[in-house]
Every structure is written in C-alpha cells, then in structure tokens.
Amino acid sequence: MPSSIELLIKPRPTDLGDFEVRRVLPYRERRMVGPFVFFDHMGPVTFPPGKGIDVRPHPHIGLATVTYLFDGEIMHRDSLGYEQAIRPGAVNWMTAGRGIVHSERTDDAERDRESSVHGIQAWVALPKTHEQTEPAFSHHPSDSLPEFDEGGVSMKLIAGTAFGKSASVDVLWPTVYIDIQAVAGKRITIPDDHEERALYVVSGEIDIDGETVSERVMAVLKPGSQPNVTATADSRVMLCGGAPMDGPRTIWWNFVSSDKGLLEQAKADWKAGRFDGVPGDDEFIPLPE
C-alpha cells in the first residue's frame, strides 16, 4: 500500500522563559496546511504559586488566532475591550484583520496557587479579500461545539466542517480542525472533503498505512489520500487543514500578509505607537530590531 504521508514534521522547541513551546508550523518544507500558517504545542507545564504565563500586549495583522486548551486557563484581553478566560474545550477566535493587540496571561486567582497549562496555539491566514477586515473577537464555549462518536472514536469539531457537521466558529476560508481522542486499537476515520490535511499527535502514537507516527510529530497527508489510521496507544490527535490558500503568505514576527507592504506598514505603526492599546494592560512587547 502506498503511503498517504507526504511529510513528517518534528517540532522545534522554543523557550519562552517560564515554559517551552514546540513550533510545528511554519516549517522550512511546509509553510502552511490549508489556512493553518502557525501551529504551536504549548506545555504541558505546571507553574508554582506566583508564576504563570505573561505574554504582554502585542499586535497582529492578517490572521486569526485560535487558542484551544486541554488543561489550565489563560486570560485573553484585547484592544477591542474583550476580556475572556479560555478553558479546556472552548475556543477563543480572534480575527486580527487590519490590526489588533492582545495579551495572554495567567489570571491573578490562578496565579495564587499551583496551576498548569497545556494546549495548541494556532494561526490561520485570512483570505486576501479579508486581510484588511475590521478586527473581531468571538468566544465559543466547549458545549457549543459539535462532539460526536465516529467509529468508537471521540471527536470534537473545533472549527470548519467535517462529517457533515459545522462548528459555530465563523471561519473565512474552507477549514477543518478536529480534536480526536482514541483508545489503543481503534481505527480513526479521516474526512476526505478537504484537500490539505495534517495529523498532529499530542499524546500517544498512531499508525498511518503501516508507518508509526509518534507523540509530538505532525504527519502531513497527501492530497486526495485515504489513509488507514489506527491508534496504537491511547492517543489524542489534532486534525487541521482545509483548502489551499489563495497564494503564499509571509510571516514577520506576529504579522501575516500576502502583501509585504502591509507588513512594513504594521512594523512602522507598532514602533510609532499607532495601534490601539489593551485596556488595563499598559505593558507591551517592543518591535524586534
């Protein structure tokens, strides 16, 4: 049987001070999978009392951020005035468009005790027609997202469409994003209605057409393939993808765009303090020099 795997990606560890993330996308041989232009696995990490996540206010353009947690809590605040805790199974979807600023921190109540965090931080590129759209934020509680059983495997549709179901998240491009949990020995059905798809093994191990894909590895699938996927251990797997984007994207720091002129303008605007601030959070991350 020919392999359905186009590429295996092993994340690069990135030290963020008090904790480490593993960067999967972008990768030198694969910049995007569908609209997913950035994919970070953060944690699992346990913080002692007094410690936590402190991502100071910083800007974005041309993308939507997708925060999805398996464990813990992060407080989101942004320049639109939204303040929203993200907890396991829920989705914080922030559309940057022409520009937004946000911070991500461990809330004071959580910081008073030992706390933990584990999840995926992803960015999806916006279509060219929406790169300069007005910024927006939406929160989707865990119980508002479709959860279903597919052949004895637990699935949660985080965003987009799959298996005839649609998530409530307002995506702007054909997208699929699923949280899959399977016990050892179960076959995992992979939807074939999206051209670009990738499987990231958060924990456990899977077999794709006879090839082992271990924990913390992303398997990018060949377009049109119908992979035979089996969990060889109790596993949690993220399926991400969608339609190929309408052209390449450039990432510079926290900015994503098809137009390098927009990146240069965003750099200048952040350096000059022309972005709106985050109410109640006066710190900021300076433009990298």
Side-chain angles (χ1 to χ4, degrees), residues 89 140-147 156:
H140 302 267
S142 180
D143 61 8
S144 71
L145 300 171
E147 294 188 60
K156 182 167 195 164

Side-chain angles (χ1 to χ4, degrees), residues 184-237:
K186 283 292 184 181
R187 186 175 184 276
I188 301 172
T189 302
I190 305 301
D192 59 4
D193 47 354
H194 294 276
E195 183 176 343
E196 297 189 352
R197 298 160 297 163
L199 294 167
Y200 178 73
V201 183
V202 176
S203 60
E205 181 182 88
I206 61 175
D207 179 287
I208 302 179
D209 299 336
E211 185 170 352
T212 298
V213 181
S214 57
E215 187 172 278
R216 301 177 182 177
V217 173
M218 175 176 278
V220 180
L221 302 176
K222 295 175 182 175
S225 62
Q226 295 183 316
N228 189 339
V229 182
T230 302
T232 52
D234 291 353
S235 301
R236 189 165 208 160
V237 180

Side-chain angles (χ1 to χ4, degrees), residues 22 33 117 165 181 219:
R22 285 166 292 281
V33 178
V117 72
K165 298 174 172 59
Q181 296 184 72

Side-chain angles (χ1 to χ4, degrees), residues 55-283:
V55 180
R56 293 169 291 161
H58 58 281
H60 290 288
I61 67 163
L63 58 89
T65 64
V66 192
T67 305
Y68 187 79
L69 296 182
F70 310 122
D71 184 38
E73 177 182 309
I74 299 174
M75 181 61 72
H76 161 97
R77 295 181 178 88
D78 64 41
S79 52
L80 298 177
Y82 287 98
E83 183 173 317
Q84 176 64 57
I86 177 73
R87 298 185 179 94
V91 168
N92 273 4
W93 186 280
M94 185 183 75
T95 302
R98 62 176 177 78
I100 198 168
V101 179
H102 75 137
S103 64
E104 295 164 297
R105 298 184 185 271
T106 300
D107 201 42
D108 290 344
E110 287 288 302
R111 202 182 295 263
D112 286 343
R113 54 180 178 267
E114 183 179 89
S115 63
S116 59
V117 72
H118 185 205
I120 302 291
Q121 178 74 59
W123 299 349
V124 295
L126 300 180
K128 292 177 182 178
T129 53
H130 289 77
E131 283 187 299
Q132 287 286 283
T133 194
E134 290 298 309
F137 174 83
S138 61
H139 174 74
H140 302 267
S142 180
D143 61 8
S144 71
L145 300 171
E147 294 188 60
F148 52 98
D149 181 283
E150 193 68 35
V153 173
S154 173
M155 298 200 178
K156 182 167 195 164
L157 185 59
I158 301 168
T161 58
F163 300 108
K165 298 174 172 59
S166 298
S168 57
V169 178
D170 187 19
V171 298
L172 296 170
W173 191 257
T175 301
V176 61
Y177 196 21
I178 307 176
D179 177 8
I180 301 169
Q181 296 184 72
V183 299
K186 283 292 184 181
R187 186 175 184 276
I188 301 172
T189 302
I190 305 301
D192 59 4
D193 47 354
H194 294 276
E195 183 176 343
E196 297 189 352
R197 298 160 297 163
L199 294 167
Y200 178 73
V201 183
V202 176
S203 60
E205 181 182 88
I206 61 175
D207 179 287
I208 302 179
D209 299 336
E211 185 170 352
T212 298
V213 181
S214 57
E215 187 172 278
R216 301 177 182 177
V217 173
M218 175 176 278
V220 180
L221 302 176
K222 295 175 182 175
S225 62
Q226 295 183 316
N228 189 339
V229 182
T230 302
T232 52
D234 291 353
S235 301
R236 189 165 208 160
V237 180
M238 304 297 282
L239 168 66
C240 67
M245 281 307 297
D246 55 351
R249 295 295 188 271
T250 299
I251 298 180
W252 191 91
W253 191 38
N254 299 310
F255 305 137
V256 172
S257 184
S258 63
D259 181 347
K260 292 186 179 179
L262 292 176
L263 295 177
E264 293 304 317
Q265 185 63 55
K267 292 180 194 179
D269 287 346
W270 182 246
K271 192 168 185 176
R274 289 191 286 264
F275 277 82
D276 292 336
V278 175
D281 197 334
D282 297 329
E283 292 188 297

